[in-house]
Amino acid sequence: MRYFLGADLGGTKTHVVIADETGQAVGFGEAGPGNHQNVGYDGMYHAMHAGLDAALRASGLNAANICGAGFGIAGYDWPSETANMTETINRLGLSCPYRMVNDSVPGIVAGAQDGWGIGLVSGTGCNCWGLSADHRRVGRASGYGFMLGEAAGGTELLFRAMQMVNYAWIKRGPQTALTPALMKAVGAESVEDLLEGYTSYRYPIGAELAPLVFQVAAEGDAVARGLIHWAGCELGELANAVIRQLEFESLTFDVVLAGSMFEGGSLLTDPMRETILRVAPGACFVRLNAPPVAGAVLMGMEMGGLAPHAGIRARLIETVQLVRQAGVR
């Protein structure tokens, strides 16, 4: 029996899964954050090592049993990081071939019906990557939000919301129910206090308040509704950029949606869909329900010379959930 490894290194946690060639997950490990931008390369190594050690112990295997591995790594954004990433992963002592990609890519492999397409992320921030059908080409956004003109996750939505509150206060724009809602949320005594507290960082106003914007929009506020429509269009344009990079315009493919912003429903997703379908009429939209680490395992299988069919993929996704919940099954 051959065994394969997948690791999902995020900004808050690291998941590691070992599965056999039938798609049966046999070991799971969880550790702390693995994004080198936050914890450094030593922190990245320690998170991977702890997760791998736990998964190996749960499976009863050792590193020499692993035939292929896939790593989805948050913060792996630029080619200049490849040498340090490689050196860090090599410290694990694996003797198998492996592939390392940005952590947005395994979500595409796990979530798209055929294991390729576009992965569009909108949670605290936003990002978009794409993977070709042969898994050889990737397309991408920068992932750096407003700094490089990309939107919209919760951070960008609240940034714009506070601009609209200010526009109402200085009479550049219409009044909005967002003003009293945000005042109440942070305990501001007045609009001036809200704006002063926000600009002086006394009132932290960020992605955690995105549900409030959706609530105010649902109550009929035109400004809030306009903000969410803007966010949906921006997400669509983010996806369109990657679609153009990979020349998907005439293809039928999945757009895998991941992140808490999509829980906001049609006010966000309708303009997003319309924006994408104008460029790629064959795009299909699916919510990511599979754990991204399953996509990393599938990539590990490919690196180990196994071409996982639909049955392997389905079994893997199901059993990864089980080992996460209750150990090895």
Side-chain angles (χ1 to χ4, degrees):
M1 184 70 72
R2 291 179 293 170
Y3 297 93
F4 305 92
L5 172 74
D8 176 33
L9 285 70
T12 58
K13 62 183 178 299
T14 295
H15 286 168
V16 177
V17 166
I18 298 170
D20 67 24
E21 61 192 36
T22 72
Q24 175 70 46
V26 297
F28 172 77
E30 181 170 349
N35 185 333
H36 76 98
Q37 295 171 335
N38 300 325
V39 300
Y41 286 105
D42 280 341
M44 173 185 165
Y45 165 73
H46 288 301
M48 287 191 298
H49 183 268
L52 174 60
D53 185 62
L56 287 171
R57 283 189 282 105
S59 66
L61 301 170
N62 58 57
N65 297 122
I66 306 301
C67 298
F71 295 85
I73 307 170
Y76 182 23
D77 297 323
W78 307 113
S80 63
E81 298 165 319
T82 299
N84 284 332
M85 293 286 177
T86 301
E87 180 181 354
T88 304
I89 291 174
N90 287 345
R91 291 170 62 187
L92 295 173
L94 297 172
S95 58
C96 64
Y98 63 83
R99 184 179 183 186
M100 53 189 189
V101 294
N102 180 275
D103 67 327
S104 298
V105 177
I108 304 171
V109 180
Q113 180 175 352
D114 296 320
W116 65 278
I118 299 293
L120 185 57
V121 180
S122 182
T124 298
C126 59
N127 206 349
C128 186
W129 283 66
L131 185 66
S132 64
D134 61 8
H135 285 198
R136 293 180 180 177
R137 295 184 300 132
V138 296
R140 59 166 296 183
S142 77
Y144 280 79
F146 267 147
M147 181 181 288
L148 292 179
E150 297 171 1
T155 298
E156 293 80 22
L157 181 66
L158 266 295
F159 192 90
R160 289 287 291 169
M162 286 303 297
Q163 288 180 339
M164 296 303 104
V165 169
N166 178 58
Y167 283 1
W169 181 63
I170 65 175
K171 299 192 183 303
R172 178 176 170 177
Q175 295 300 306
T176 170
L178 286 168
T179 301
L182 287 165
M183 287 172 55
K184 181 179 180 181
V186 301
E189 297 178 356
S190 64
V191 182
E192 292 90 337
D193 182 42
L194 174 66
L195 295 172
E196 180 184 359
Y198 173 64
T199 55
S200 65
Y201 305 103
R202 179 162 46 89
Y203 293 139
I205 297 174
E208 70 282 352
L209 291 177
L212 182 63
V213 180
F214 282 91
Q215 177 185 328
V216 173
E219 294 168 354
D221 183 77
V223 172
R225 293 178 70 88
L227 281 171
I228 295 172
H229 185 275
W230 163 83
C233 292
E234 287 292 314
L235 288 169
E237 293 295 356
L238 200 61
N240 285 343
V242 179
I243 289 167
R244 294 187 187 99
Q245 291 172 35
L246 293 172
E247 300 178 323
F248 281 1
E249 293 97 327
S250 62
L251 303 182
T252 298
F253 60 92
D254 284 338
V255 179
V256 181
L257 308 177
S260 57
M261 283 276 285
F262 292 113
E263 295 169 8
S266 61
L267 281 178
L268 179 75
T269 58
D270 282 354
M272 177 205 70
R273 289 171 186 265
E274 292 168 7
T275 301
I276 293 172
L277 290 173
R278 284 197 293 267
V279 171
C284 305
F285 301 89
V286 295
R287 279 288 267 139
L288 178 62
N289 294 316
V293 70
V297 176
L298 291 167
M299 293 171 56
M301 290 177 172
E302 292 179 356
M303 293 303 299
L306 177 67
H309 54 68
I312 291 175
R313 178 176 175 273
R315 186 175 187 187
L316 176 65
I317 290 171
E318 177 185 0
T319 59
V320 166
Q321 302 281 26
L322 292 176
V323 295
R324 286 179 61 186
Q325 294 168 4
V328 178
R329 296 295 181 102

